[in-house]
Amino acid sequence: MGQIHLSRRTFAGTGLASAGLVLATGARAFAERPLTAESPLGPFFPLSPPAESDADLTWLKGHSKRASGQVIEVTGRVLDEKGNPIAGARLDLWQANAAGRYAHPSDPAVAPLDPDFQGFASIVSDSKGDWRIVTIKPGSYDSPIGRRTPHIHFDIRGKIQRNIAQLYFPEEAKLNAGDMLYKGLGSEAGTSVAVRNTNDPNKYNWDIVLMG
Ligand SMILES: [Fe+2]
């Protein structure tokens, strides 16, 4: 008899959450991909939709200068737990600039704003579940819960699951290890760490897995 392993997330907030529930089904067993770990929304989601929200966060229309910092490309797919692509998933993402500052009135950071940085994007996965952004590698910053390691916030809306997540960078292992939110992910942390391209260190890949 086959089994379907349901993530505790499936039943988050219910009494079943911690049970590590396993349902017996009659179906053949299949290997599931772990769902992407969830994170708090945090205080810096844009208060209102920014004027520009395309996939290249490094250029703003009418500006003669590109955003400051290390330009990176992040590509990935939105998949269900069986590895099937989720087309048409909406990804809203927001992040600090290279100096670790959000363009948000609640950010108390003294680091400077970058007037050339978009800081937010709203994109949709294509028919193969693929998505891509060009952005600046975010800086780390101090917060009430301690030093935050570089990260990009994502709000992903798939077919039946919406997930708030954070992307982390593999080369920041030391800062990651000291980050309260990263540590809080426990054994799921790996689902939030992008893969750095071995040929081009400015390129990363991050697949997002949602319930399909
Ligand atoms: Fe953040």
PDB file of all heavy atoms in Angstrom, residues 43-44 94 96 102 141 148 151 153 166, ligand 1:
ATOM      1  N   PRO A  43       7.892  43.491   8.303  1.00  0.00           N
ATOM      2  CA  PRO A  43       7.290  44.833   8.376  1.00  0.00           C
ATOM      3  C   PRO A  43       7.432  45.683   7.116  1.00  0.00           C
ATOM      4  O   PRO A  43       6.936  46.806   7.088  1.00  0.00           O
ATOM      5  CB  PRO A  43       8.073  45.477   9.524  1.00  0.00           C
ATOM      6  CG  PRO A  43       9.415  44.818   9.472  1.00  0.00           C
ATOM      7  CD  PRO A  43       9.185  43.422   8.983  1.00  0.00           C
ATOM      8  N   PHE A  44       8.094  45.173   6.072  1.00  0.00           N
ATOM      9  CA  PHE A  44       8.467  46.075   4.980  1.00  0.00           C
ATOM     10  C   PHE A  44       7.788  45.789   3.642  1.00  0.00           C
ATOM     11  O   PHE A  44       8.249  46.250   2.599  1.00  0.00           O
ATOM     12  CB  PHE A  44       9.993  46.073   4.803  1.00  0.00           C
ATOM     13  CG  PHE A  44      10.719  46.468   6.049  1.00  0.00           C
ATOM     14  CD1 PHE A  44      11.773  45.700   6.532  1.00  0.00           C
ATOM     15  CD2 PHE A  44      10.351  47.612   6.754  1.00  0.00           C
ATOM     16  CE1 PHE A  44      12.437  46.065   7.700  1.00  0.00           C
ATOM     17  CE2 PHE A  44      11.005  47.977   7.924  1.00  0.00           C
ATOM     18  CZ  PHE A  44      12.047  47.206   8.399  1.00  0.00           C
ATOM     19  N   TRP A  94      10.136  41.597  -2.554  1.00  0.00           N
ATOM     20  CA  TRP A  94      10.632  42.880  -2.082  1.00  0.00           C
ATOM     21  C   TRP A  94      11.886  42.640  -1.241  1.00  0.00           C
ATOM     22  O   TRP A  94      12.068  41.579  -0.659  1.00  0.00           O
ATOM     23  CB  TRP A  94       9.562  43.644  -1.300  1.00  0.00           C
ATOM     24  CG  TRP A  94       9.109  43.021  -0.013  1.00  0.00           C
ATOM     25  CD1 TRP A  94       9.440  43.408   1.255  1.00  0.00           C
ATOM     26  CD2 TRP A  94       8.207  41.906   0.147  1.00  0.00           C
ATOM     27  NE1 TRP A  94       8.809  42.603   2.193  1.00  0.00           N
ATOM     28  CE2 TRP A  94       8.055  41.678   1.537  1.00  0.00           C
ATOM     29  CE3 TRP A  94       7.525  41.065  -0.750  1.00  0.00           C
ATOM     30  CZ2 TRP A  94       7.252  40.657   2.046  1.00  0.00           C
ATOM     31  CZ3 TRP A  94       6.729  40.034  -0.231  1.00  0.00           C
ATOM     32  CH2 TRP A  94       6.596  39.851   1.141  1.00  0.00           C
ATOM     33  N   ALA A  96      15.704  44.671   0.627  1.00  0.00           N
ATOM     34  CA  ALA A  96      16.540  45.825   0.954  1.00  0.00           C
ATOM     35  C   ALA A  96      17.484  46.102  -0.209  1.00  0.00           C
ATOM     36  O   ALA A  96      17.753  45.230  -1.041  1.00  0.00           O
ATOM     37  CB  ALA A  96      17.341  45.535   2.222  1.00  0.00           C
ATOM     38  N   TYR A 102      15.419  49.305   3.262  1.00  0.00           N
ATOM     39  CA  TYR A 102      14.176  49.177   2.500  1.00  0.00           C
ATOM     40  C   TYR A 102      13.630  50.565   2.192  1.00  0.00           C
ATOM     41  O   TYR A 102      13.696  51.469   3.045  1.00  0.00           O
ATOM     42  CB  TYR A 102      13.103  48.430   3.309  1.00  0.00           C
ATOM     43  CG  TYR A 102      13.342  46.950   3.444  1.00  0.00           C
ATOM     44  CD1 TYR A 102      14.124  46.448   4.477  1.00  0.00           C
ATOM     45  CD2 TYR A 102      12.764  46.053   2.559  1.00  0.00           C
ATOM     46  CE1 TYR A 102      14.347  45.088   4.616  1.00  0.00           C
ATOM     47  CE2 TYR A 102      12.971  44.692   2.687  1.00  0.00           C
ATOM     48  CZ  TYR A 102      13.770  44.219   3.725  1.00  0.00           C
ATOM     49  OH  TYR A 102      13.982  42.868   3.861  1.00  0.00           O
ATOM     50  N   TYR A 141      21.137  43.680   7.485  1.00  0.00           N
ATOM     51  CA  TYR A 141      20.735  44.840   8.294  1.00  0.00           C
ATOM     52  C   TYR A 141      20.392  44.409   9.713  1.00  0.00           C
ATOM     53  O   TYR A 141      20.094  43.241   9.968  1.00  0.00           O
ATOM     54  CB  TYR A 141      19.560  45.583   7.640  1.00  0.00           C
ATOM     55  CG  TYR A 141      18.306  44.753   7.450  1.00  0.00           C
ATOM     56  CD1 TYR A 141      17.346  44.651   8.449  1.00  0.00           C
ATOM     57  CD2 TYR A 141      18.083  44.059   6.257  1.00  0.00           C
ATOM     58  CE1 TYR A 141      16.192  43.898   8.266  1.00  0.00           C
ATOM     59  CE2 TYR A 141      16.933  43.308   6.060  1.00  0.00           C
ATOM     60  CZ  TYR A 141      15.991  43.234   7.076  1.00  0.00           C
ATOM     61  OH  TYR A 141      14.865  42.474   6.891  1.00  0.00           O
ATOM     62  N   ARG A 148      19.929  40.593  10.347  1.00  0.00           N
ATOM     63  CA  ARG A 148      19.321  39.792   9.283  1.00  0.00           C
ATOM     64  C   ARG A 148      20.359  39.518   8.199  1.00  0.00           C
ATOM     65  O   ARG A 148      21.022  40.420   7.713  1.00  0.00           O
ATOM     66  CB  ARG A 148      18.121  40.513   8.648  1.00  0.00           C
ATOM     67  CG  ARG A 148      16.857  40.701   9.469  1.00  0.00           C
ATOM     68  CD  ARG A 148      16.202  39.450  10.018  1.00  0.00           C
ATOM     69  NE  ARG A 148      16.316  38.221   9.240  1.00  0.00           N
ATOM     70  CZ  ARG A 148      15.523  37.868   8.218  1.00  0.00           C
ATOM     71  NH1 ARG A 148      14.551  38.645   7.850  1.00  0.00           N
ATOM     72  NH2 ARG A 148      15.697  36.724   7.591  1.00  0.00           N
ATOM     73  N   HIS A 151      18.622  38.591   2.230  1.00  0.00           N
ATOM     74  CA  HIS A 151      17.473  37.764   1.852  1.00  0.00           C
ATOM     75  C   HIS A 151      16.552  38.561   0.948  1.00  0.00           C
ATOM     76  O   HIS A 151      16.581  39.795   0.946  1.00  0.00           O
ATOM     77  CB  HIS A 151      16.699  37.285   3.087  1.00  0.00           C
ATOM     78  CG  HIS A 151      16.171  38.421   3.912  1.00  0.00           C
ATOM     79  ND1 HIS A 151      16.948  39.090   4.824  1.00  0.00           N
ATOM     80  CD2 HIS A 151      14.965  39.044   3.927  1.00  0.00           C
ATOM     81  CE1 HIS A 151      16.248  40.057   5.382  1.00  0.00           C
ATOM     82  NE2 HIS A 151      15.025  40.064   4.853  1.00  0.00           N
ATOM     83  N   HIS A 153      12.390  38.751   0.123  1.00  0.00           N
ATOM     84  CA  HIS A 153      11.060  38.284   0.531  1.00  0.00           C
ATOM     85  C   HIS A 153      10.230  37.937  -0.704  1.00  0.00           C
ATOM     86  O   HIS A 153      10.269  38.668  -1.702  1.00  0.00           O
ATOM     87  CB  HIS A 153      10.313  39.382   1.290  1.00  0.00           C
ATOM     88  CG  HIS A 153      10.948  39.776   2.581  1.00  0.00           C
ATOM     89  ND1 HIS A 153      10.569  39.242   3.785  1.00  0.00           N
ATOM     90  CD2 HIS A 153      11.942  40.654   2.860  1.00  0.00           C
ATOM     91  CE1 HIS A 153      11.294  39.784   4.753  1.00  0.00           C
ATOM     92  NE2 HIS A 153      12.141  40.652   4.220  1.00  0.00           N
ATOM     93  N   GLN A 166      11.255  33.404   2.159  1.00  0.00           N
ATOM     94  CA  GLN A 166      12.438  34.238   1.974  1.00  0.00           C
ATOM     95  C   GLN A 166      13.502  33.420   1.269  1.00  0.00           C
ATOM     96  O   GLN A 166      13.708  32.250   1.590  1.00  0.00           O
ATOM     97  CB  GLN A 166      12.977  34.748   3.318  1.00  0.00           C
ATOM     98  CG  GLN A 166      11.999  35.687   4.008  1.00  0.00           C
ATOM     99  CD  GLN A 166      12.547  36.313   5.280  1.00  0.00           C
ATOM    100  OE1 GLN A 166      13.745  36.500   5.439  1.00  0.00           O
ATOM    101  NE2 GLN A 166      11.646  36.649   6.191  1.00  0.00           N
TER     102      GLN A 166
HETATM  103 FE    FE B   1      13.652  41.621   5.295  1.00  0.00          FE
END
